[in-house]
Amino acid sequence: MSTKKITFKQIAPFLVLAGVSVLAIFIPSEPMFADSAQYNAADIAWILVAAALVFLMTPGLAFFYGGMVHRKNVLSTMIKSVVAAGVVSVIWVVVGFSLCFGDTIGGFIGDPTTFLFFKGVASGAPVLQGGAPMTIPLLLFSVFQLMFAIITPGLVVGAVAERIRFTSYILFTVLFVLFVYAPLAHWTWHPQGFLFKMGALDFAGGTVVHISAGCAALVGALVLKRRKAHLEHREIPPANIPYVLIGTGLLWFGWFGFNGGSALGANALSVSAFATTNIAAGAAGLSWMFFDVIRGKKPSVLGFCIGAVVGLVAITPGAGFVAIPQSIFIGFIAAIVSNGVAHWKAKSTLDDTLDVFPCHGVGGMVGMLLTGVFATKTVNGAGADGLIFGNFEFFFTQLKAMLIAVSYSLVVSFVIFKIVGLVQPLRVSDEEEELGLDESQHNEKYLQGTLIVAGREVVHVADGVFEKEYLEAGVIEAK
């Protein structure tokens, strides 16, 4: 029996969750929304599916990241992406949705009491988008937006993988959602948010999701400093490239809900966003892979997969604002820019483990700017025409919004990491890092796979021949 003393820091997360659970008992129940002539069954069905697709991106991200780290850190990397589904879901009901979409406080943040513990959400009126009532219930809109909030802190995992403590990451997730994600979501998507009123366009999360996560990833890599393997220039082979391919497929599939669902209805706009999403991803995957060949590498599975994700990131802010042909160029150029930044990073001392900043941060910035170039009212019937149509003012609006989002995310994320470091150590010890975070943080191990060999053995004995059947199974561990 273990005699190790349990500290208050270890039981604090459980006590907080217990307290929230007990408080929830006393929240009065309210009737579900009534059927209304204003609701559209097709819209409700599509956004339900879209929300499920966006949720699927979270385990997809876990496979994507988990396949690229060292074998001894696969499980610890995957769980950090998935655990956000629990942490953020609870925060969202208590106060997160209110901070993002509650009654505005000066255009900077939502009133935390507006939807406290989901007060008035289930029975709420149809959501307003751009000042006009939509055809889906407020509860469905909230669930759809929750899925965006879940995956955003999970993106940061790739930059701090293989060295951050699990409990420190949990605390980071809580603070990041409250103080980085929620303000940016309010600024960008609330009708009274100051970026929204400024005229900035972000269809599905270029600033809110990717720039915020990419900048937090950059800060995290700097604050946590370099891994021992990175300092010693040891090559870290990917644990399981098929996992990366599976993760890419799930992300690509889920992104149709991410962007297509952001039209908030089963309409022509959602179809257009669906198409631009696919085209940009395909163009970017090819662009990254072919650019690698130009630089003397061979076409690789990792190259295409990473490039495709960069294309998905870049098209996100403009998916519903740009035409389909231009999405090819957006994917093509975003992959080249991110590839170049990743190549530069590899030669620097920056230890962003899985290139989160080059792919998500830079990809999101490129997407925001190219939305300012290629946006056209002919797609959305609203918004603005871009630089290519002579609208310099809108391009500079996008540039200002991007710089504001980058600056805010960098500064606040830095403060959050420092606060977490004051509460408890951010990094595992050198011994725990060498042992691997799967074992040191979770007491679990990832096994590469099971080899099953079956066949028939032919045995010659004097003048006779007989066959012996055999079946052998054993665990194969990569060395």
Side-chain angles (χ1 to χ4, degrees):
M1 181 182 293
S2 174
T3 58
K4 186 177 179 181
K5 186 178 179 181
I6 303 298
T7 66
F8 176 75
K9 287 182 181 179
Q10 290 174 301
I11 65 173
F14 177 82
L15 294 177
V16 171
L17 179 60
V20 170
S21 301
V22 171
L23 281 174
I25 296 174
F26 301 99
I27 303 300
S29 59
E30 55 186 44
M32 296 296 290
F33 62 87
D35 289 335
S36 167
Q38 197 166 350
Y39 297 141
N40 182 289
D43 291 345
I44 292 175
W46 165 232
I47 304 305
L48 280 171
V49 171
L53 288 172
V54 180
F55 180 82
L56 187 65
M57 294 171 67
T58 294
L61 182 68
F63 275 103
F64 185 74
Y65 280 168
M68 287 192 281
V69 296
H70 192 283
R71 184 174 57 88
K72 62 186 179 182
N73 297 309
V74 171
L75 300 178
S76 66
T77 301
M78 296 180 80
I79 186 57
K80 287 185 182 76
S81 294
V82 175
V83 76
V87 176
V88 180
S89 292
V90 174
I91 293 173
W92 193 253
V93 170
V94 176
V95 75
F97 183 55
S98 295
L99 294 174
C100 293
F101 297 99
D103 297 336
T104 191
I105 300 177
F108 290 96
I109 196 68
D111 183 342
T113 65
T114 304
F115 302 115
L116 187 67
F117 277 93
F118 259 31
K119 176 186 65 177
V121 174
S123 59
V127 63
L128 294 177
Q129 179 71 0
M134 298 299 292
T135 56
I136 61 173
L138 181 63
L139 178 58
L140 177 54
F141 174 76
S142 178
V143 170
F144 180 66
Q145 289 294 335
L146 166 61
M147 303 310 166
F148 287 71
I150 286 173
I151 196 172
T152 305
L155 296 172
V156 183
V157 172
V160 296
E162 304 191 317
R163 60 199 187 278
I164 191 170
R165 288 181 180 274
F166 181 69
T167 50
S168 296
Y169 169 74
I170 294 291
L171 181 56
F172 163 80
T173 298
V174 173
L175 297 177
F176 178 86
V177 169
L178 293 176
F179 296 105
V180 177
Y181 182 88
L184 282 171
H186 189 81
W187 301 351
T188 306
W189 290 330
H190 193 284
Q192 299 302 316
F194 86 93
L195 290 182
F196 187 96
K197 294 181 74 173
M198 190 172 74
L201 297 180
D202 182 0
F203 190 73
T207 53
V208 182
V209 177
H210 298 292
I211 289 178
S212 70
C215 291
L218 175 61
V219 170
L222 291 170
V223 172
L224 270 82
K225 299 183 171 58
R226 302 165 69 185
R227 293 162 294 161
K228 287 182 64 178
H230 194 267
L231 284 166
E232 298 167 3
H233 303 287
R234 280 186 272 160
E235 184 180 356
I236 302 176
N240 193 322
I241 292 178
Y243 271 15
V244 180
L245 190 58
I246 291 170
T248 303
L250 292 173
L251 285 169
W252 196 329
F253 182 58
W255 227 291
F256 292 130
F258 198 83
N259 289 351
S262 292
L264 297 180
N267 49 41
L269 180 58
S270 68
V271 176
S272 179
F274 194 109
T276 56
T277 299
N278 187 71
I279 301 304
L286 293 175
S287 177
W288 187 292
M289 186 170 63
F290 294 159
F291 192 66
D292 276 351
V293 172
I294 291 174
R295 295 202 290 113
K297 297 182 178 182
K298 292 184 178 180
S300 67
V301 175
L302 280 178
F304 182 82
C305 289
I306 294 171
V309 170
V310 169
L312 292 165
V313 169
I315 196 61
T316 292
F321 301 119
V322 303
I324 294 171
Q326 283 72 51
S327 66
I328 299 175
F329 180 82
I330 291 174
F332 169 78
I333 201 68
I336 293 174
V337 174
S338 290
N339 189 310
V341 175
H343 184 65
W344 165 82
K345 189 231 72 174
K347 294 183 176 181
S348 73
T349 57
L350 177 64
D351 187 12
D352 177 346
T353 312
L354 303 179
D355 291 337
V356 178
F357 177 71
C359 295
H360 291 273
V362 174
M365 294 178 206
V366 171
M368 278 295 289
L369 293 180
L370 292 182
T371 299
V373 174
F374 295 114
T376 170
K377 289 183 180 179
T378 60
V379 173
N380 200 3
D385 288 329
L387 183 63
I388 199 172
F389 301 104
N391 192 345
F392 290 88
E393 183 180 354
F394 173 63
F395 176 80
F396 286 115
T397 296
Q398 290 295 99
L399 176 61
K400 284 189 293 183
M402 184 202 79
L403 292 176
I404 290 170
V406 168
S407 302
Y408 182 81
S409 300
L410 287 173
V411 172
V412 180
S413 295
F414 178 79
V415 173
I416 289 173
F417 273 111
K418 286 298 184 180
I419 291 174
V420 174
L422 291 174
V423 175
Q424 60 186 13
L426 276 170
R427 283 189 66 141
V428 297
S429 67
D430 289 346
E431 293 76 16
E432 290 171 326
E433 184 179 339
E434 196 63 35
L435 180 63
L437 273 63
D438 288 1
E439 188 167 351
S440 67
Q441 298 290 290
H442 306 287
N443 197 29
E444 295 174 319
K445 283 187 177 182
Y446 167 72
L447 300 178
Q448 182 71 18
T450 301
L451 174 67
I452 298 179
V453 182
R456 302 178 74 84
E457 180 180 357
V458 179
V459 182
H460 294 264
V461 180
D463 294 331
V465 176
F466 68 92
E467 295 180 341
K468 181 175 68 175
E469 294 185 353
Y470 65 88
L471 176 66
E472 297 176 1
V475 173
I476 306 290
E477 291 197 41
K479 302 297 182 184

